Amino acid sequence: MNVERTAETGTNVAVSIAGVSKVYDRGGVAALSDVSLTIFQGEFFSLLGPSGCGKTSLLRIIGGFEQSTSGRVMIDGVDVGDTAPYARSTNMIFQHLALFPHMTVFENIAFGLRRKKMPNNEIADRVRGALALVRLADYGERMPDQLSGGQRQRVAMARAMVNEPSVLLLDEPLAALDLQLRIQMQEELRRLHKSTGRTFIYVTHDQGEAMSMSDRIGVMHGGRLQQVGTPEDIYNRPRTRFVASFIGHTNMLDGVVTSIGDEAFVRIDCKGVGLMAKSHGALTVGQPVTAAFRYERLKVAPAADPNVFASGRVVERIYLGQSIRLAVELTNGAVVTADLREAPEFSPVSVGDNVSLAIPPQSVVALTE
Ligand SMILES: Nc1ncnc2c1ncn2[C@@H]1O[C@H](COP(=O)(O)OP(=O)(O)OP(=O)(O)O)[C@@H](O)[C@H]1O
Ligand SMILES: [Mg+2]
């Protein structure tokens, strides 16, 4: 088998997507535009983005349930353009697919294996193994309506895992569960991923879920892949305004580059407020950019602090328990938000106060897209 390898890491590629676009016949919607992506074996990879951005479309194309309009998908080094879903080494847990209500849990899980005409004793072994994997060893004879929501999701997972797919495709499997159960199931999924060592491609529109579960995340918007990276990359080094605004709480000030410094630092003028920022690519003086920085990186500081970049008046103060959220109107009229965590620095601040705001240059990114 022709398995691709990356030069730096020597890690095997599980799924490689090259220039995939999708236009649906009905409605002529461009659901995916020129998506290219490499997912490694054993990786927990999440596709993250708002409703309608193309997550399900991409997952269905990987699983073979939908044809791409152009582009290529390789799984384990083989072009699967002409391979039917059941013949691929993938298995999908669908966004809206229930269990068969008239079959026991055991039969639900055995369904795919029976269709493959596997001998009965082998089916029994495999189903028992899959049930143990999702911690439902004693539930084989139950009917789906005798299970809780979380147990049903675990059966759906067992049903996908029992085929021993090398790649598991999960389309928002926890979206219907309440918060507490979702957190339990996130742990369950992480455990399953670890114990099976298989590749998981996980679709979610929940940034917290993607951040806490994934080795890497691909952020999608409007059918395009905006950025691919580790949770830390995506959070600390967003590449586009969309990624900066979709993940975490971000201040964004429009401005122009006024000078270029060392190590990719630039100086930006935002209508009279000057900021140092880190840039991703080559910028030129006079170029319009957006300075993006997280609420929690902004500090109220003594005026002499070297990272002070502006002063302003506190226009709102909200107590959030772990932090205090301040809205500060700068001298140029823009309003920025700071989440202050350490009690000594926020307790004396109240609405109407004048404060100096500080941020280290490495916590500000200059965005052009
Ligand atoms: N079968 C279809 N026929 C026509 N248009 C479709 C079809 N399926 C999806 N679309 C459109 O393609 C775009 C992407 O849809 P998709 O289901 O991939 O989004 P999604 O990111 O999974 O959204 P959600 O988070 O709501 O599940 C949407 O504009 C949707 O309306
Ligand atoms: Mg979807």
Side-chain angles (χ1 to χ4, degrees):
M1 198 184 289
N2 165 31
V3 176
E4 291 178 54
R5 279 169 190 278
T6 52
E8 325 88 288
T9 61
T11 314
N12 288 340
V13 170
V15 177
S16 142
I17 297 159
V20 163
S21 294
K22 173 71 185 177
V23 179
Y24 284 104
D25 296 337
R26 269 181 306 140
V29 179
L32 295 170
S33 304
D34 194 21
V35 173
S36 295
L37 177 63
T38 300
I39 296 164
F40 300 106
Q41 278 174 14
E43 207 174 13
F44 196 121
F45 190 96
S46 291
L47 291 167
L48 172 67
S51 183
C53 72
K55 305 179 298 291
T56 295
S57 299
L58 186 57
L59 210 62
R60 289 177 67 89
I61 288 169
I62 298 170
F65 300 97
E66 200 71 66
Q67 287 282 324
S68 64
T69 309
S70 57
R72 194 185 62 163
V73 176
M74 314 253 291
I75 299 174
D76 295 335
V78 179
D79 189 327
V80 292
D82 299 321
T83 311
Y86 66 84
R88 298 188 182 196
S89 51
T90 50
N91 241 271
M92 182 147 166
I93 299 177
F94 292 89
Q95 192 168 1
H96 305 287
L97 192 80
L99 303 174
F100 301 119
H102 56 285
M103 286 184 194
T104 62
V105 165
F106 185 99
E107 286 305 322
N108 263 283
I109 299 170
F111 185 79
L113 304 179
R114 294 215 191 283
R115 288 223 316 203
K116 285 186 195 160
K117 309 249 180 302
M118 189 177 277
N120 277 335
N121 55 347
E122 206 173 313
I123 290 178
D125 282 351
R126 286 259 215 130
V127 173
R128 271 198 291 274
L131 278 170
L133 205 57
V134 297
R135 303 195 212 215
L136 288 176
D138 299 330
Y139 287 72
E141 295 318 309
R142 296 259 189 124
M143 300 304 281
D145 65 4
Q146 296 172 313
L147 302 175
S148 72
Q151 290 166 339
R152 259 178 252 153
Q153 277 308 343
R154 272 143 72 188
V155 175
M157 280 173 216
R159 189 166 63 173
M161 302 289 285
V162 80
N163 298 303
E164 299 183 352
S166 72
V167 181
L168 198 62
L169 308 172
L170 304 109
D171 194 354
E172 310 220 25
L174 311 183
L177 307 179
D178 67 39
L179 183 64
Q180 208 182 349
L181 197 50
R182 206 156 73 219
I183 290 166
Q184 267 176 31
M185 291 298 295
Q186 287 170 359
E187 275 166 26
E188 193 86 353
L189 268 175
R190 267 200 300 266
R191 189 187 57 80
L192 262 180
H193 174 251
K194 231 177 172 163
S195 66
T196 61
R198 301 194 189 272
T199 309
F200 280 32
I201 307 181
Y202 189 85
V203 162
T204 180
H205 62 261
D206 178 336
Q207 49 150 313
E209 190 166 289
M211 299 281 276
S212 64
M213 314 242 307
S214 317
D215 295 314
R216 286 189 307 149
I217 300 172
V219 184
M220 294 181 70
H221 180 52
R224 290 182 187 277
L225 203 53
Q226 294 254 322
Q227 185 171 354
V228 178
T230 62
E232 286 90 340
D233 272 340
I234 302 270
Y235 192 83
N236 291 319
R237 289 172 288 281
R239 303 300 288 259
T240 69
R241 293 180 183 95
F242 175 78
V243 174
S245 62
F246 189 68
I247 293 161
H249 296 294
T250 310
N251 290 293
M252 293 210 254
L253 295 177
D254 291 336
V256 291
V257 177
T258 53
S259 63
I260 312 274
D262 293 340
E263 294 170 27
F265 283 108
V266 294
R267 192 161 180 82
I268 303 171
D269 176 70
C270 305
K271 298 189 183 85
V273 169
L275 266 167
M276 291 290 285
K278 190 114 185 163
S279 73
H280 294 302
L283 296 177
T284 52
V285 171
Q287 190 171 348
V289 290
T290 298
F293 47 100
R294 303 292 181 192
Y295 288 9
E296 75 274 13
R297 301 279 156 84
L298 207 49
K299 295 267 184 291
V300 169
D305 186 304
N307 287 329
V308 164
F309 69 99
S311 62
R313 195 172 59 88
V314 177
V315 291
E316 194 172 29
R317 182 184 191 274
I318 304 170
Y319 179 68
L320 298 174
Q322 281 198 322
S323 61
I324 295 269
R325 180 163 294 174
L326 293 186
V328 179
E329 187 177 340
L330 306 183
T331 45
N332 70 356
V335 175
V336 296
T337 306
D339 282 348
L340 307 179
R341 282 187 175 264
E342 296 98 60
E345 72 179 65
F346 65 64
S347 48
V349 179
S350 45
V351 171
D353 285 358
N354 277 305
V355 292
S356 297
L357 294 175
I359 194 159
Q362 60 271 21
S363 295
V364 185
V365 287
L367 303 173
T368 54
E369 284 175 52

